[in-house]
Amino acid sequence: MSARRRWAWRALLWISVLVVALAIVGLQLVVRPQLADDPLVGAGRLDQPAVADAPGAVLPELAAPTQQASAAKVAERLAAVPREGLGDVVALVVDARTGTELCREGAGVRTPASSLKVLSALVAIDVLGPEKTFATTTFLTADAGTVVLRGGGDPLLAGAARPDAHPQPASLEELAAETATALKAKGVTTVALGYDATLFAGPAWNPAWPDIFARSVAPITALTADHARPSLARNAFERAPDPAQFATDKFAGFLAAQGIAVTGTSAVTTPTDASELAHVDSLPVARIAERVLADSDNDAAETLLWQVALARGRAATPTDGADVLATELQRLGLWDEGMRVLDGNGISADNQVTADALVGAIRMALADPDLRPVTDGLPVAGVTGTLAERFDEADAVGGRGVVRAKTGTIQGVNTLTGYVVTADGHPLAFALMTSGGAGQTSARLWLDRASAALASCGCS
């Protein structure tokens, strides 16, 4: 090749490199900011890794109001939202700072579905404390022949360690590694494995729950892992019928991987003379509550309620949990005539609460830093949790990234409870409760459109 042709090829190569570099800069400086500001993408989402901190609160502080929102304008905005196929409606919107009522439709108690989790999560944080954790512990019997795996009621306990998860739950794999180290230090390499789930009295299945939920809720026990799911695939809902045995089998496998042979497993009560080998602590209650609300985690919601019952000196049972929840809501001033609660997750269609109680809980969480995980955990419209794939209709897009609310869906019931900042800066707390009508699609559309209408409201 001649020197002239070699020079031409080098020049062409450098020009190509320069064009690519300029294109990358253009994407970073021009296209990327435009995408990040697009409401269908969400600010900053292109920069977030797959695992990241939860979005910050829409309302970092509730400043003193400078101007009252207009009740007439709020009511007008909601009234303008189409209601084709919608059934019964109870709606309440208040100024989140002052509690001033801005719009009310309907009255009395209604079935909240999973919006009940707003109430049960707030009670759990208030009673247990935001930093409370639950330990899963191993013990060695006095004869050094049996390791006992004792459940402490950690609802988010994982089987395999999840170092990439945020926040990172405790795991049986981690506990097995620490337990094996302690056993080897004692010269023990072969053991029987007992499991102790007696912290919770049961029954493990709340009799108020329809059997159809057996695919989406595991029996509630003090020892469970991976929500008792044999498969962690996104669309796999099968649950192991005995979560404690399921967790123990996983733990036995992890012990074997650490060089500890397990001769058999059985249910036991931890002997009083057994010595602790190792333990792993759950995430703090505040983080568990956030998970409950973001993902509408039925298992964790009910487990937290049973932990509240234990903290109040009651047994960990469905009945005691429900009784304690009612008592605590009364103490907090979140109880109205006709209310009834039968669980902590809202599965029972016989739960009955008022919009006032739901809105009151939102306002209480916004005002108290210790309770703020309740509002921090609420799904963000179009972005996170159970609202990630909603608010995509043209007249609901305005709520994306602004509305934060807990969903609620069981047969014939759809609810949305949360808060929003209007276009002109008014923080509003709301509860929208629907039942009957043409079906879930119509109800969800109205809920999305109604809350988006509040977000885009110039309500001064």
PDB file of all heavy atoms in Angstrom, residues 179-191:
ATOM      1  N   THR A 179     -22.789 -20.396  61.552  1.00  0.00           N
ATOM      2  CA  THR A 179     -23.053 -21.573  62.394  1.00  0.00           C
ATOM      3  C   THR A 179     -21.997 -22.651  62.168  1.00  0.00           C
ATOM      4  O   THR A 179     -21.492 -23.263  63.132  1.00  0.00           O
ATOM      5  CB  THR A 179     -24.451 -22.132  62.075  1.00  0.00           C
ATOM      6  OG1 THR A 179     -25.440 -21.128  62.349  1.00  0.00           O
ATOM      7  CG2 THR A 179     -24.746 -23.376  62.900  1.00  0.00           C
ATOM      8  N   ALA A 180     -21.642 -22.891  60.920  1.00  0.00           N
ATOM      9  CA  ALA A 180     -20.632 -23.906  60.612  1.00  0.00           C
ATOM     10  C   ALA A 180     -19.287 -23.543  61.222  1.00  0.00           C
ATOM     11  O   ALA A 180     -18.573 -24.412  61.756  1.00  0.00           O
ATOM     12  CB  ALA A 180     -20.501 -24.063  59.099  1.00  0.00           C
ATOM     13  N   THR A 181     -18.942 -22.276  61.173  1.00  0.00           N
ATOM     14  CA  THR A 181     -17.680 -21.838  61.777  1.00  0.00           C
ATOM     15  C   THR A 181     -17.673 -22.124  63.274  1.00  0.00           C
ATOM     16  O   THR A 181     -16.681 -22.633  63.835  1.00  0.00           O
ATOM     17  CB  THR A 181     -17.461 -20.335  61.526  1.00  0.00           C
ATOM     18  OG1 THR A 181     -17.354 -20.109  60.115  1.00  0.00           O
ATOM     19  CG2 THR A 181     -16.202 -19.838  62.213  1.00  0.00           C
ATOM     20  N   ALA A 182     -18.802 -21.832  63.940  1.00  0.00           N
ATOM     21  CA  ALA A 182     -18.894 -22.068  65.381  1.00  0.00           C
ATOM     22  C   ALA A 182     -18.860 -23.561  65.700  1.00  0.00           C
ATOM     23  O   ALA A 182     -18.245 -23.988  66.691  1.00  0.00           O
ATOM     24  CB  ALA A 182     -20.174 -21.435  65.922  1.00  0.00           C
ATOM     25  N   LEU A 183     -19.506 -24.380  64.881  1.00  0.00           N
ATOM     26  CA  LEU A 183     -19.508 -25.832  65.112  1.00  0.00           C
ATOM     27  C   LEU A 183     -18.106 -26.423  64.939  1.00  0.00           C
ATOM     28  O   LEU A 183     -17.647 -27.236  65.752  1.00  0.00           O
ATOM     29  CB  LEU A 183     -20.486 -26.507  64.145  1.00  0.00           C
ATOM     30  CG  LEU A 183     -21.974 -26.314  64.427  1.00  0.00           C
ATOM     31  CD1 LEU A 183     -22.808 -26.861  63.271  1.00  0.00           C
ATOM     32  CD2 LEU A 183     -22.379 -26.981  65.738  1.00  0.00           C
ATOM     33  N   LYS A 184     -17.422 -26.017  63.876  1.00  0.00           N
ATOM     34  CA  LYS A 184     -16.082 -26.548  63.629  1.00  0.00           C
ATOM     35  C   LYS A 184     -15.117 -26.161  64.742  1.00  0.00           C
ATOM     36  O   LYS A 184     -14.208 -26.933  65.094  1.00  0.00           O
ATOM     37  CB  LYS A 184     -15.580 -26.054  62.283  1.00  0.00           C
ATOM     38  CG  LYS A 184     -16.319 -26.668  61.099  1.00  0.00           C
ATOM     39  CD  LYS A 184     -15.888 -26.040  59.785  1.00  0.00           C
ATOM     40  CE  LYS A 184     -16.691 -26.588  58.612  1.00  0.00           C
ATOM     41  NZ  LYS A 184     -16.337 -25.926  57.332  1.00  0.00           N
ATOM     42  N   ALA A 185     -15.340 -24.967  65.315  1.00  0.00           N
ATOM     43  CA  ALA A 185     -14.492 -24.551  66.434  1.00  0.00           C
ATOM     44  C   ALA A 185     -14.693 -25.462  67.641  1.00  0.00           C
ATOM     45  O   ALA A 185     -13.807 -25.585  68.499  1.00  0.00           O
ATOM     46  CB  ALA A 185     -14.794 -23.105  66.811  1.00  0.00           C
ATOM     47  N   LYS A 186     -15.856 -26.106  67.714  1.00  0.00           N
ATOM     48  CA  LYS A 186     -16.145 -27.037  68.797  1.00  0.00           C
ATOM     49  C   LYS A 186     -15.837 -28.480  68.404  1.00  0.00           C
ATOM     50  O   LYS A 186     -16.104 -29.414  69.168  1.00  0.00           O
ATOM     51  CB  LYS A 186     -17.624 -26.915  69.202  1.00  0.00           C
ATOM     52  CG  LYS A 186     -18.022 -25.554  69.758  1.00  0.00           C
ATOM     53  CD  LYS A 186     -19.515 -25.507  70.031  1.00  0.00           C
ATOM     54  CE  LYS A 186     -19.951 -24.160  70.587  1.00  0.00           C
ATOM     55  NZ  LYS A 186     -19.398 -23.907  71.943  1.00  0.00           N
ATOM     56  N   GLY A 187     -15.335 -28.692  67.201  1.00  0.00           N
ATOM     57  CA  GLY A 187     -15.019 -30.038  66.740  1.00  0.00           C
ATOM     58  C   GLY A 187     -16.230 -30.820  66.292  1.00  0.00           C
ATOM     59  O   GLY A 187     -16.178 -32.060  66.209  1.00  0.00           O
ATOM     60  N   VAL A 188     -17.332 -30.147  65.978  1.00  0.00           N
ATOM     61  CA  VAL A 188     -18.580 -30.815  65.574  1.00  0.00           C
ATOM     62  C   VAL A 188     -18.751 -30.668  64.068  1.00  0.00           C
ATOM     63  O   VAL A 188     -18.742 -29.549  63.535  1.00  0.00           O
ATOM     64  CB  VAL A 188     -19.789 -30.204  66.310  1.00  0.00           C
ATOM     65  CG1 VAL A 188     -21.088 -30.866  65.830  1.00  0.00           C
ATOM     66  CG2 VAL A 188     -19.636 -30.346  67.810  1.00  0.00           C
ATOM     67  N   THR A 189     -18.935 -31.770  63.367  1.00  0.00           N
ATOM     68  CA  THR A 189     -19.143 -31.720  61.918  1.00  0.00           C
ATOM     69  C   THR A 189     -20.364 -32.501  61.448  1.00  0.00           C
ATOM     70  O   THR A 189     -20.694 -32.476  60.259  1.00  0.00           O
ATOM     71  CB  THR A 189     -17.904 -32.273  61.177  1.00  0.00           C
ATOM     72  OG1 THR A 189     -17.641 -33.605  61.628  1.00  0.00           O
ATOM     73  CG2 THR A 189     -16.685 -31.381  61.415  1.00  0.00           C
ATOM     74  N   THR A 190     -21.031 -33.209  62.370  1.00  0.00           N
ATOM     75  CA  THR A 190     -22.251 -33.948  62.039  1.00  0.00           C
ATOM     76  C   THR A 190     -23.304 -33.653  63.105  1.00  0.00           C
ATOM     77  O   THR A 190     -23.024 -33.796  64.309  1.00  0.00           O
ATOM     78  CB  THR A 190     -21.998 -35.460  61.977  1.00  0.00           C
ATOM     79  OG1 THR A 190     -21.009 -35.732  60.978  1.00  0.00           O
ATOM     80  CG2 THR A 190     -23.279 -36.205  61.622  1.00  0.00           C
ATOM     81  N   VAL A 191     -24.516 -33.257  62.660  1.00  0.00           N
ATOM     82  CA  VAL A 191     -25.563 -32.893  63.616  1.00  0.00           C
ATOM     83  C   VAL A 191     -26.928 -33.304  63.084  1.00  0.00           C
ATOM     84  O   VAL A 191     -27.124 -33.470  61.880  1.00  0.00           O
ATOM     85  CB  VAL A 191     -25.584 -31.368  63.886  1.00  0.00           C
ATOM     86  CG1 VAL A 191     -24.316 -30.905  64.580  1.00  0.00           C
ATOM     87  CG2 VAL A 191     -25.831 -30.593  62.594  1.00  0.00           C
TER      88      VAL A 191
END
